[in-house]
Amino acid sequence: MNKIILIIQREYLSRVKKKTFLLTTFLVPLFFIGIYVGAFYLTKKSFEDNNAIVYVLDNTNQVGKELVNNKNITFTHSADELGVQLKKVKDAGDNTSLLIIPQDFFETQKIEFLSSGKPNINTQSEIEKQLETVMLNYQYAKLNIDPDKIKNIDSSVKISAKEITDSGEAKESDTRIAMGIAMALSVLIYLSLFLYGAQVMRGIIEEKSNRIVEVVISSVKPFQLMMGKIIGIGLVGITQFILWIILSFGLISLATSTLIDKDEFIAQTEQQAAQNVNPENEDMSMVASLGSALDSVNFPELLTCFFLFFLGGYMLYSALFAAVGSAVDNETEANQFTMPITAPLLLAYVLSFGVLINDPHGSIATWLSFIPLTSPIAMLVRVPFGVPVWQIALSFALLVAGFIFTTWVAARIYRVGILMYGKKASFKELIKWFGYKN
């Protein structure tokens, strides 16, 4: 046991002290936060800088008066001839356009929109929206319908989704939030198992190629060396996850508080509330709805399950990756073995975006969450939708049993393969190695 602990310390410290660990640990959150901040800033700046000048030639002498300027478009009514106005638009360059409203606009419902380059899609959409409103008011007037009364009609329906608990009470529930969390966990666990499992395999191949393993194996048993590597690299993964979570939440909070003006947000909220005709019929705001939906998610259970199934899945697949690493001399040769052992994980990952999310309590999803090779993804996809505790416990117990069995199989291959050089391994050879007696 002491030897395994020493190997764990060696593997853990050797990787934590590497520059690559520090770079990936601190740069990954900064990278994603940078994308978030960059996208927010560029989008905001794009809308601020994208003020389009639209000259209007209104042959109806009616429609142009109803076009309203805003922060994105400034309408300028033109009295010039068409040729002169076209030259002005061409000389003005970007963000300058000409809107020609024909005399029979209300009959044909067609207009011409000319610009010096490719028309800006946002400007075009804004003009279409305003002209559709003008057309709608015209048709209301033609039918002797009061537009204000039509605007007061609210046909929206809001569903308050709730689920019945074991105690018979109804609590808030939002399937969209559960789906989002399930998909995120599916991607995260899939990438994590591959990333850290491959690190175990690479470490073994590297030590085997450099003949370092011959020195190490003289003082410890192959099983102890394999377990030390698996646990040590697994602890490195957990350390990175914890640091990523802390750094991400901290940076997102800082970025949000810096980029979003609270006074402006409150003013916009009050303005929307003032424009609301029937506030007593209006449901909670989007932010309040999101907060309520997030409150319905059992985050302690979710995080506990994530770490448990990450550890179980990592230990299981790392044992298989370790066996593969011991059987080959380079990563190129490892490809023929890694695909078969990771196929179940890939299957669960692919099904998580369809079958598992659409029917998380169906027979396929349930069985996949009990099979050790697929349960790390399948169960984590199901957990946000609410899974009985006994199913989670049984799934984890089977995962642990699968890990023990896999480790026993991998250890028997590892003890022979770790000292094999220059011989191309095959599945037939691996079966022979498994059958060798001590």
Side-chain angles (χ1 to χ4, degrees):
M1 188 64 185
N2 291 332
K3 291 180 179 180
I4 294 179
I5 293 173
L6 288 173
I7 296 169
I8 292 171
Q9 291 176 345
R10 169 178 169 265
E11 293 293 331
Y12 181 81
L13 293 175
S14 65
R15 280 167 172 77
V16 168
K17 289 179 180 179
K18 284 183 178 180
K19 290 183 179 180
T20 52
F21 174 83
L22 296 174
L23 287 173
T24 55
T25 300
F26 291 98
L27 289 183
V28 167
L30 287 172
F31 174 73
F32 285 109
I33 298 303
I35 292 176
Y36 165 73
V37 173
F40 186 90
Y41 173 77
L42 291 174
T43 303
K44 185 178 179 182
K45 186 171 177 59
S46 174
F47 280 105
E48 289 175 351
D49 296 344
N50 190 30
N51 186 277
I53 305 297
V54 178
Y55 290 97
V56 181
L57 285 178
D58 183 13
N59 295 315
T60 65
N61 295 321
Q62 179 182 351
V63 177
K65 298 175 184 177
E66 299 188 45
L67 298 176
V68 182
N69 296 335
N70 56 38
K71 61 180 181 180
N72 296 324
I73 300 180
T74 300
F75 292 102
T76 302
H77 297 277
S78 175
D80 296 330
E81 293 182 358
L82 179 59
V84 175
Q85 189 58 64
L86 286 174
K87 188 176 185 307
K88 281 186 179 180
V89 171
K90 188 66 177 176
D91 294 340
D94 295 337
N95 288 339
T96 304
S97 307
L98 174 63
L99 176 65
I100 302 175
I101 304 174
Q103 192 169 2
D104 58 350
F105 167 71
F106 291 111
E107 286 74 33
T108 62
Q109 297 182 255
K110 292 181 180 180
I111 53 113
E112 284 186 272
F113 183 66
L114 309 175
S115 58
S116 57
K118 293 290 183 183
N120 185 291
I121 189 66
N122 292 324
T123 304
Q124 192 172 334
S125 298
E126 177 66 26
I127 293 173
E128 284 180 355
K129 185 178 177 182
Q130 290 203 31
L131 289 176
E132 284 172 0
T133 302
V134 173
M135 179 63 68
L136 197 60
N137 290 334
Y138 169 79
Q139 293 178 356
Y140 285 153
K142 196 174 180 180
L143 297 171
N144 294 322
I145 298 174
D146 186 355
D148 292 331
K149 290 182 179 179
I150 298 294
K151 291 176 183 177
N152 291 337
I153 296 175
D154 185 8
S155 60
S156 61
V157 177
K158 298 176 179 64
I159 298 177
S160 178
K162 297 184 179 182
E163 62 176 306
I164 302 173
T165 61
D166 295 335
S167 60
E169 297 179 357
K171 70 172 184 177
E172 294 291 333
S173 178
D174 195 320
T175 306
R176 293 168 297 179
I177 296 294
M179 287 177 66
I181 293 173
M183 292 174 70
L185 288 177
S186 173
V187 174
L188 184 59
I189 201 74
Y190 178 75
L191 294 177
S192 301
L193 293 183
F194 263 98
L195 175 65
Y196 296 109
Q199 281 190 23
V200 173
M201 184 180 70
R202 273 192 224 103
I204 292 172
I205 293 174
E206 184 180 349
E207 289 187 353
K208 185 179 176 181
S209 301
N210 297 334
R211 300 297 178 100
I212 297 173
V213 71
E214 294 180 2
V215 179
V216 178
I217 211 74
S218 63
S219 56
V220 298
K221 294 180 179 179
F223 177 77
Q224 294 174 328
L225 178 60
M226 187 182 76
M227 286 303 299
K229 280 185 172 294
I230 291 173
I231 297 173
I233 295 174
L235 291 175
V236 173
I238 292 175
T239 303
Q240 277 194 325
F241 276 129
I242 293 172
L243 290 175
W244 281 345
I245 291 170
I246 294 171
L247 288 170
S248 297
F249 274 110
L251 291 171
I252 287 174
S253 301
L254 179 63
T256 303
S257 61
T258 304
L259 292 173
I260 298 177
D261 188 347
K262 290 184 178 179
D263 295 333
E264 183 181 349
F265 178 76
I266 292 171
Q268 288 179 355
T269 305
E270 290 176 350
Q271 184 180 0
Q272 290 176 358
Q275 292 175 352
N276 188 16
V277 180
N278 293 317
E280 67 275 9
N281 294 332
E282 189 68 24
D283 205 350
M284 61 183 66
S285 66
M286 184 181 296
V287 175
S289 299
L290 181 61
S292 177
L294 289 173
D295 289 338
S296 67
V297 179
N298 190 343
F299 282 103
E301 180 189 54
L302 196 61
L303 290 174
T304 301
C305 288
F306 174 78
F307 280 108
L308 287 176
F309 281 91
F310 165 73
L311 277 176
Y314 164 77
M315 300 289 273
L316 187 148
Y317 276 96
S318 291
L320 294 174
F321 274 110
V324 170
S326 69
V328 298
D329 295 329
N330 55 68
E331 290 188 45
T332 305
E333 295 179 12
N335 292 334
Q336 62 174 319
F337 298 111
T338 54
M339 278 303 296
I341 63 176
T342 55
L345 192 67
L346 180 61
L347 174 65
Y349 175 73
V350 172
L351 292 178
S352 65
F353 292 94
V355 176
L356 301 184
I357 288 179
N358 291 331
D359 190 13
H361 303 296
S363 57
I364 295 176
T366 303
W367 279 108
L368 286 176
S369 64
F370 288 151
I371 300 171
L373 291 172
T374 56
S375 62
I377 288 181
M379 181 53 76
L380 282 177
V381 171
R382 293 183 62 211
V383 166
F385 294 93
V387 179
V389 177
W390 72 266
Q391 289 192 15
I392 297 175
L394 178 59
S395 177
F396 183 69
L398 291 172
L399 182 59
V400 172
F403 156 66
I404 294 171
F405 174 75
T406 303
T407 305
W408 174 70
V409 173
R412 293 184 66 86
I413 297 172
Y414 183 88
R415 66 197 170 98
V416 179
I418 199 68
L419 296 175
M420 286 284 189
Y421 296 98
K423 185 178 181 180
K424 263 197 170 183
S426 62
F427 285 104
K428 188 176 180 180
E429 283 293 325
L430 295 184
I431 294 171
K432 283 183 181 179
W433 296 352
F434 175 79
Y436 286 162
K437 294 183 179 180
N438 294 331

